[in-house]
């Protein structure tokens, strides 16, 4: 292939960028000279080739696609994909990963999808499994050229984490010009807003190019009180004249004023009218003031006939979705040192500040005799909400630096060498204000502090988490021609790489010592070194059959080695019809925090069936409530392995319409799974209260639960089918042109353990959280300077495990209209969630699924972009 300086400049600007589905690209040298055909790299392979045929189906989301929806971040764009069938984690107040957002491809877990920028691995977030997943909020949105989603196993090329597939975010390069873009969005359900601004510039020359951009955007938090389905509420459902905590409440905790009666005598007959017979007392002045709620029966917390506590409406204070305030920058440059050698560099520098608010600290402790809420006149113990301290406000600052420096060399005999060095560093610092200091409380008691201001000041403490993950990588790959075959030239590729990962989590000493109420954790650190070699080949066996093979060997110094093979085939015997087939094996190394991580605190929601059985409460009436949960690591974890098989077809009709279908089977073996508070409570129920990981008090109430990670005993299989249809209709200059894009994913089987520890597998498809169908459709219209876009997302019906309760389908509609001012910029006005729909709600009026359905409501936005 003939290479010109301009061709090399543009190709090398892309470097290792992987572009899929792009038509053949040509560049002319000068007027009258021959057209040059450019090679591309396809996501799922490192081999550069002229055609875009590949044996694995890839879904591409372009920059134009993302403009049509008015999204703020890469995570937003991926979240609307039908391949995100079961929802994804997003920035969430009250979580140790508050500032993060991920992509849960096919519902297999975010850690099983490799996230790449320009075809290269980046460092994971230390707040997400010690780097087990990438925080998508630190990837610049404004400079994305396209996002390729390979929803098929790719460990043979990319190694660990590519079990379910690959998301390859391709940033712009070779840009020539200047672009400004700004936008503002206003939410209908509250006073929150979104703002964004970006600047992109670049220049090209005969021997290279440079592209630079910076973006800034902000999204306000969502507070629980501003949504009917998340705010605190209660009602006397059974009409007995009392409010029973957790059975008839939402968003209200017993950590408020729950005083243990120092004079409790179980021999005294219980009476709702006799406080002396109560085990727990609500304290004086327990009235509904918006924060503290009126007396609530304690039957489901402390046991039947134990009295009343004063509830606290934490949901009227807390934030549900944390804020996001990002400033990201990007640079890409290349330079031809000679006709055959070029150097390139690209770098992403990102910062995200996130704000989350929790209710004032909740912790057991002692109420002084002098407290006006104390009815006993002596110091008493209990479970309290320390409101005088103030709300717990957490600010998380995430900073990522990802730098790649490399060289591309065209060698003799159709050989090409690529080599690069990656330095990727992620630091997350979390500062929590207004937590409870047990040491300060002890000082107040010891020295009999009576001054209220001093007393409160002594109770306050600040928490600090300083987490860091760093990766350094060296990669070298060589592409070469193998031999001539009936269908063309066979091409091979061999590569070697080594990378080191260091993980560290530092927690303030007071939290480590357990001296902070409402916070917990231990410092931890870990490291691993990985060496890998891989090989690929594309074999054009005939004009209609192409076979591609790949194999990779990974050697981890902390758990061992794995071999990942893959073979695929592409058939094109019938015009306009392509048949694809692929089989591969993969693996995923345990996350560093799962192996060496700090113990973290979480208030997990769960149902205590054993506790209800002790109290004579039927399973159907056993409430879902929060439990103090301590999540620890497991240094004995093994790697999980996988097998994937896919079979697909793509048909082109009349050059304007392309339809495809893809069937995928994923089998996971020894999967690393999170054992939740609910799992531990289920074991406790099945063993008659003999689970040592669940600690109860004398009345049978849960005090705390230890949770963590382990390798699954059972292999599980997941099956799904993807559909896509894209096309264009041109009417006339009078009516314009219409583009259509439709996608759908249908789950056929999603095996899970019916109940943790039972060994019995069940199919979760069609149960709540696992809808059978998810689809989306987009219709775009363009005529002269006008354009408009209407899109719809659909999530199918689901039902309870018993089948007695069924939830309907859910839809969201988006609309925008744009006008191009002929070189003076383009103005866009639109609305996401046009009908201001709530997420899917359960029978109690609460969210049926926290991450699958959006909670922002309608967002009306305006945007303006001008390019010079």
């Amino acid at each position: 292939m003939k290479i010109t300086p301009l061709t090399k400049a543009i190709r090398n600007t892309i470097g290792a960028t992987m572009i899929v589905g792009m038509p053949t690209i040509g560049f002319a040298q000068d007027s009258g000279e021959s057209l040059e055909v450019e090679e591309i790299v396809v996501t799922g392979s490192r081999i550069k080739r002229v055609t875009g045929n590949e044996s694995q189906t890839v879904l591409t989301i372009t920059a134009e696609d993302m403009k049509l929806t008015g999204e703020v971040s890469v995570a937003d764009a991926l979240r609307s994909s039908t391949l995100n069938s079961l929802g994804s984690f997003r920035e969430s107040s009250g979580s140790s990963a508050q500032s993060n957002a991920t992509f849960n491809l096919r519902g297999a877990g975010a850690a099983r999808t490799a996230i790449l920028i320009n075809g290269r691995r980046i460092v994971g977030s230390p707040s997400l499994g010690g780097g087990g997943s990438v925080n998508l909020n630190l990837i610049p949105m404004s400079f994305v050229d396209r996002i390729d989603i390979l929803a098929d196993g790719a460990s043979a090329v990319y190694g660990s984490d590519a079990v379910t597939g690959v998301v390859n975010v391709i940033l712009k390069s070779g840009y020539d010009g200047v672009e400004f873009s700004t936008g503002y969005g206003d939410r209908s359900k509250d006073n929150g807003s979104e703002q964004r601004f970006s600047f992109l510039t670049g220049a090209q020359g005969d021997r290279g190019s440079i592209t630079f951009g910076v973006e800034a955007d902000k999204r306000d938090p969502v507070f629980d009180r501003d949504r009917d389905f998340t705010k605190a509420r209660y009602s006397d459902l059974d009409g007995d004249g009392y409010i029973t905590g957790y059975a008839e409440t939402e968003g209200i905790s017993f950590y408020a004023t729950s005083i243990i009666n120092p004079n409790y005598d179980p021999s005294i007959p219980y009476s709702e009218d006799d406080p002396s017979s109560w085990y727990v007392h609500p304290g004086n002045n327990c009235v509904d003031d918006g924060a503290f709620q009126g007396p609530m029966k304690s039957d489901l917390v402390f046991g039947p006939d134990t009295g009343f506590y004063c509830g606290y409406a934490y949901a009227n204070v807390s934030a549900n979705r944390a804020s996001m305030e990002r400033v990201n920058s990007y640079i890409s440059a290349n330079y031809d040192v000679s006709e055959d050698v070029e150097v390139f560099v690209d770098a992403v520098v990102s910062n995200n500040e996130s704000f989350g608010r929790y209710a004032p600290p909740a912790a057991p402790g002692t109420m002084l005799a002098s407290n006006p809420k104390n009815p006993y006149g002596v110091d008493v113990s209990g479970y309290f909400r320390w409101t005088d301290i103030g709300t717990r406000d957490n600010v998380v600052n995430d900073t990522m630096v990802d730098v790649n420096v490399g060289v591309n060399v065209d060698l003799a005999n159709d050989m090409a060498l690529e080599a690069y060095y990656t330095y990727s560093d992620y630091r997350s610092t979390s500062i929590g204000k207004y937590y409870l200091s047990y040491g300060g409380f002890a000082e107040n008691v010891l020295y009999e502090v009576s001054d209220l201001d001093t007393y409160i000041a002594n109770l306050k403490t600040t928490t600090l988490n300083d987490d860091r993950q760093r990766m350094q990588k060296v990669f070298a790959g060589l592409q070469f021609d193998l031999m001539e075959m009936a269908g063309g030239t066979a091409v091979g590729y061999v590569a070697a790489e080594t990378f080191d990962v260091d993980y560290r989590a530092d927690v303030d000493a007071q939290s480590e010592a357990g001296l902070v109420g409402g916070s917990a954790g231990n410092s931890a650190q870990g490291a691993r070194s990985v060496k890998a070699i891989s090989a690929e080949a594309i074999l054009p066996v005939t004009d209609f059959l192409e076979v591609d093979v790949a194999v990779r060997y990974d050697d981890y110094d902390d758990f061992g080695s794995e071999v990942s093979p893959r073979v695929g085939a592409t058939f094109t015997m019938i015009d306009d019809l392509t048949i694809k087939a692929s089989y591969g094996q993969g693996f995923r190394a345990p996350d560093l925090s799962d192996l060496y991580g700090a113990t973290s605190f979480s208030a997990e929601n769960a149902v205590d069936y054993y506790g209800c059985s002790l109290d004579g409460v039927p399973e159907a009436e056993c409430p879902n409530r929060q439990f103090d949960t301590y999540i620890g690591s497991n240094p004995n974890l093994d790697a999980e392995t996988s097998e994937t098989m896919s079979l697909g077809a793509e048909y082109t009709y009349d050059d304007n319409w392309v339809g495809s279908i893809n069937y995928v089977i994923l089998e996971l073996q020894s999967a690393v799974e999170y054992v939740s508070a609910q799992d531990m409570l289920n074991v406790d129920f099945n063993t008659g209260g003999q689970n040592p990981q669940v600690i109860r008090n004398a009345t049978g109430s849960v005090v705390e639960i230890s949770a963590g990670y382990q390798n699954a005993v059972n292999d599980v299989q997941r099956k799904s089918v993807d559909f896509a249809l894209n096309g264009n209709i041109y009417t006339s200059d009078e009516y314009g042109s219409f583009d259509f894009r439709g996608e759908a994913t249908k789950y056929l089987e999603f095996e899970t353990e019916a109940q943790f520890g039972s060994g019995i597998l069940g199919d979760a498809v069609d149960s709540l959280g696992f809808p059978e169908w998810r689809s989306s459709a987009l219709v775009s219209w363009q005529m002269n300077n006008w354009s408009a876009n209407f899109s719809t997302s659909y999530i199918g019906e689901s039902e309870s495990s018993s089948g007695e309760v069924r939830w309907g389908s859910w839809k969201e509609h988006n609309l925008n209209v744009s006008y191009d001012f002929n070189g003076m910029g383009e103005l866009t006005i639109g609305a996401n969630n046009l009908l201001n729909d709530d997420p899917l709600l359960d029978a109690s009026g609460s969210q049926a699924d926290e991450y699958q359905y959006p909670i922002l409501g309608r967002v009306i936005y305006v945007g303006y972009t001008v390019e010079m």
Side-chain angles (χ1 to χ4, degrees), residues 379-401:
D379 293 353
V380 291
S381 61
Y383 301 86
F384 304 112
R385 185 70 58 169
W386 303 88
T387 56
D388 288 336
I389 297 175
T391 56
R392 288 170 291 165
D393 291 349
N394 276 37
V395 176
V396 180
N397 270 284
D398 294 321
T399 302
M400 185 184 75
V401 177

Side-chain angles (χ1 to χ4, degrees), residues 510-528:
Q510 294 298 301
S511 294
E512 274 197 297
L515 297 177
V516 177
S519 175
N522 295 304
S523 298
Q525 61 181 15
R528 66 168 37 134

Side-chain angles (χ1 to χ4, degrees), residues 222-506:
V222 176
F223 286 93
D224 286 314
R225 63 174 179 264
D226 293 328
R227 304 288 187 275
D228 289 338
F229 49 86
T230 54
K231 70 181 182 181
R233 55 197 186 276
Y234 63 83
S235 61
D236 184 10
L237 299 177
D238 59 11
D240 65 352
Y242 300 99
I243 302 298
T244 300
Y246 295 95
E248 300 176 320
T249 67
E250 295 286 343
I252 300 174
S253 171
F254 75 92
Y255 272 100
T257 306
S258 298
I259 302 172
I260 304 303
N261 181 357
N263 305 316
Y264 177 66
D265 183 353
S267 65
I268 299 177
Y270 175 77
S271 170
E272 292 166 346
D273 299 322
D274 182 9
S276 67
S277 69
W278 300 348
Y279 170 76
V280 60
H281 194 286
N284 298 327
N285 303 318
C286 179
V287 295
D288 186 346
D289 62 2
F292 286 94
Q293 307 296 303
M296 297 178 174
K297 292 182 70 174
S298 59
D299 295 38
L300 298 180
V301 181
F302 297 94
D305 298 339
T306 50
F308 295 81
Y309 62 80
C310 192
Y312 183 82
Y314 62 86
N316 287 344
V317 177
S318 58
N320 182 292
R321 185 165 183 170
S323 71
M324 182 175 68
E325 189 169 355
R326 309 187 308 156
V327 179
N328 301 330
S329 60
Y330 168 67
I331 188 169
S332 173
N334 71 286
Y335 181 74
D336 287 339
V337 178
S338 67
E339 185 176 348
D340 299 318
V341 179
E342 66 92 26
V343 294
F344 66 86
V345 59
D346 60 64
V348 174
V349 179
S350 302
N351 178 263
N352 179 28
E353 181 173 292
S354 175
F355 170 82
R357 171 165 289 172
Y358 323 142
T366 301
M367 178 181 284
L368 300 180
S370 59
N371 193 309
K373 291 185 178 182
N374 188 339
Y376 295 106
V378 296
D379 293 353
V380 291
S381 61
Y383 301 86
F384 304 112
R385 185 70 58 169
W386 303 88
T387 56
D388 288 336
I389 297 175
T391 56
R392 288 170 291 165
D393 291 349
N394 276 37
V395 176
V396 180
N397 270 284
D398 294 321
T399 302
M400 185 184 75
V401 177
D402 183 78
V403 180
N404 296 274
V405 180
V407 59
N408 287 323
V409 182
D410 290 330
L411 303 173
N413 302 320
D414 296 313
M415 300 177 68
L417 172 69
E418 177 191 19
Y420 63 84
Y421 165 77
T422 297
Y423 177 85
S424 201
D425 187 24
Y426 189 127
R427 188 164 192 171
S428 178
T429 303
S430 174
I431 298 176
K433 296 182 178 180
Y434 312 126
Y435 282 75
L436 173 65
S437 170
Y438 288 139
F441 185 84
E443 180 174 332
N444 286 338
V445 174
L446 179 63
Y447 293 103
E448 299 181 349
V449 176
S450 58
D451 179 73
L452 182 60
D453 291 338
T454 303
Y455 189 95
I456 294 173
N458 289 344
L459 293 179
K460 295 180 181 179
T461 190
T462 299
T463 64
L464 174 66
N465 282 65
D466 186 12
D467 302 337
R468 190 169 188 178
Q469 184 112 348
R470 181 174 58 190
M471 181 187 73
Q472 296 188 75
K473 176 180 175 180
V474 177
F475 174 91
L478 180 67
Q479 180 172 322
F480 52 90
D481 291 346
L482 284 171
M483 56 184 170
E484 291 298 322
M485 303 185 72
T489 303
V491 181
Y493 192 96
V494 294
E497 62 183 277
T498 178
F499 61 92
D500 297 305
V501 180
D502 295 298
Y503 161 71
R504 190 188 75 231
D506 292 327

Side-chain angles (χ1 to χ4, degrees), residues 679-841:
D679 293 331
M680 287 302 183
L681 287 172
N682 289 343
V683 171
D684 205 46
F685 175 67
N686 293 330
T687 59
Q690 299 303 307
N691 185 359
Q693 307 305 318
V694 178
I695 300 175
R696 299 178 182 271
N697 61 20
T699 66
S701 298
V702 174
V703 176
E704 65 180 57
I705 300 171
S706 295
Y709 300 87
Q710 71 172 39
N711 288 101
V713 176
N714 301 103
D715 299 343
V716 293
Q717 197 171 81
R718 282 82 189 268
K719 301 176 183 178
S720 57
V721 181
D722 305 320
F723 305 89
L725 177 65
N726 302 306
N728 171 269
I729 297 176
Y730 176 74
T731 57
S732 64
D733 291 338
E734 184 178 356
Y735 298 106
S737 63
F738 295 85
D739 291 308
F740 174 81
R741 176 171 179 166
E743 298 163 0
T745 294
K746 175 181 173 62
Y747 271 99
L748 303 176
E749 184 178 29
F750 196 101
E751 285 187 336
T752 60
E753 200 171 20
Q755 190 177 93
F756 174 75
S758 68
I760 301 173
L761 296 181
D763 186 4
V765 174
D766 207 30
S767 64
L768 183 61
F770 292 80
E772 183 178 358
W773 280 96
R774 181 160 182 166
S775 61
S776 64
L778 170 68
V779 178
S780 299
W781 166 78
Q782 185 170 356
M783 186 181 71
N784 299 324
N785 292 38
W786 289 95
S787 61
N789 306 280
F790 179 80
S791 63
T792 296
S793 295
Y794 170 86
I795 299 177
E797 298 177 340
S798 55
E799 63 182 20
S800 62
S801 57
S802 65
E804 296 179 357
V805 182
R806 190 158 190 88
W807 289 269
S809 61
W810 184 89
K811 305 177 188 69
E812 180 184 74
H813 308 291
N814 307 312
L815 174 68
N816 65 44
V817 178
S818 299
Y819 184 80
D820 189 340
F821 290 94
N822 294 322
M824 299 298 291
E826 183 180 62
L827 179 67
T828 300
I829 299 175
N832 289 335
N833 194 349
L834 187 64
L835 302 181
N836 202 24
D837 290 325
D838 287 339
L840 185 69
L841 304 179

Side-chain angles (χ1 to χ4, degrees), residues 59 78 80-85 722-723 743-745 774-776:
L59 170 68
L78 289 171
S80 61
S81 167
T82 60
L83 295 172
N84 186 37
S85 300
D722 305 320
F723 305 89
E743 298 163 0
T745 294
R774 181 160 182 166
S775 61
S776 64

